[in-house]
Amino acid sequence: MKQTRITILVEGAVMIALAAVLSYIRVFKLPTGGSVTLMSMLPIIVFSIRYGVKHGLGVAFGYSLVQLVQGAMDGLFAWGLSAPMLIACIVLDYLGAFTVIGFAGIFRSRGASGWVAGTIFAGVLRFVFHFFSGVVIWRSCGELWSGFDINNVWLYSLAYNGIYMLPEILFTSLGAYALFRVPATRRLLKAA
């Protein structure tokens, strides 16, 4: 029993580290945050598929803390947000958005379709957090896109966050499906 807990902790730490490294490999980055990465959510999703939602949420929360540190290094505290807006940003754009990736293992017993559905589900949950952050906190950033109707913050947030989250969800879903197609990976992930 103790060995299993240690194994889970070690694998979780490795997946957090791998996800953090992959988050620095960006296909493209938007000017005020958000980027398409090299499937940086996939290690957390794989862990959640292997060990279930409970452990997946724990590791995803650890990953959210790493993302918060990365955001701080990218200038999060220099954006000029008021204290309540900064707290809301931390909760919505970091802690909430990255913790929900742990829900990816919710359909893990349903084969390839479950892996892909769980990946999409977790990605959509993450998008929802970023979307509401865009509506509540980042509405003033609409002026960065000339010609865009900044009076409709709902549409702006949908477009802005959709630009990077849709490809991120699509690429990560394809990655999860590809991993399922490898028999050795499938056996390894079903072993837990």
Side-chain angles (χ1 to χ4, degrees):
M1 180 83 135
K2 188 174 183 178
Q3 181 64 29
T4 304
R5 288 184 184 166
I6 292 171
T7 302
I8 292 171
L9 284 172
V10 170
E11 284 184 34
V14 168
M15 292 303 189
I16 290 170
L18 182 57
V21 169
L22 290 173
S23 73
Y24 279 111
I25 304 172
R26 298 176 176 141
V27 176
F28 72 86
K29 183 178 178 181
L30 294 175
T32 57
S35 58
V36 177
T37 64
L38 186 61
M39 297 182 280
S40 63
M41 295 190 303
L42 192 56
I44 308 303
I45 288 168
V46 166
F47 184 87
S48 183
I49 290 169
R50 180 164 165 80
Y51 290 108
V53 172
K54 177 184 166 188
H55 293 295
L57 287 171
V59 166
F61 178 73
Y63 180 55
S64 76
L65 296 176
V66 170
Q67 284 296 308
L68 178 59
V69 170
Q70 287 178 335
M73 291 188 314
D74 284 345
L76 169 66
F77 297 106
W79 290 340
L81 296 174
S82 66
M85 287 299 167
L86 180 61
I87 292 169
C89 177
I90 289 170
V91 169
L92 291 173
D93 275 330
Y94 292 96
L95 301 181
F98 290 99
T99 298
V100 296
I101 298 171
F103 281 111
I106 199 164
F107 307 118
R108 67 188 183 137
S109 63
R110 296 187 181 165
S113 63
W115 288 26
V116 172
T119 300
I120 292 170
F121 180 66
V124 168
L125 287 176
R126 180 179 162 200
F127 167 79
V128 167
F129 273 89
H130 291 306
F131 172 76
F132 281 114
S133 173
V135 169
V136 174
I137 300 164
W138 301 110
R139 66 178 70 183
S140 64
C141 296
E143 61 198 1
L144 294 174
W145 288 0
S146 61
F148 198 90
D149 180 12
I150 60 170
N151 294 321
N152 189 340
V153 296
W154 298 92
L155 184 58
Y156 174 78
S157 185
L158 180 71
Y160 186 90
N161 291 296
I163 283 174
Y164 71 93
M165 281 305 302
L166 187 61
E168 186 81 9
I169 293 168
L170 179 66
F171 294 147
T172 306
S173 298
L174 290 171
Y177 180 76
L179 283 177
F180 183 85
R181 301 302 300 162
V182 177
T185 304
R186 191 169 53 244
R187 277 192 306 274
L188 177 67
L189 293 179
K190 286 184 178 180

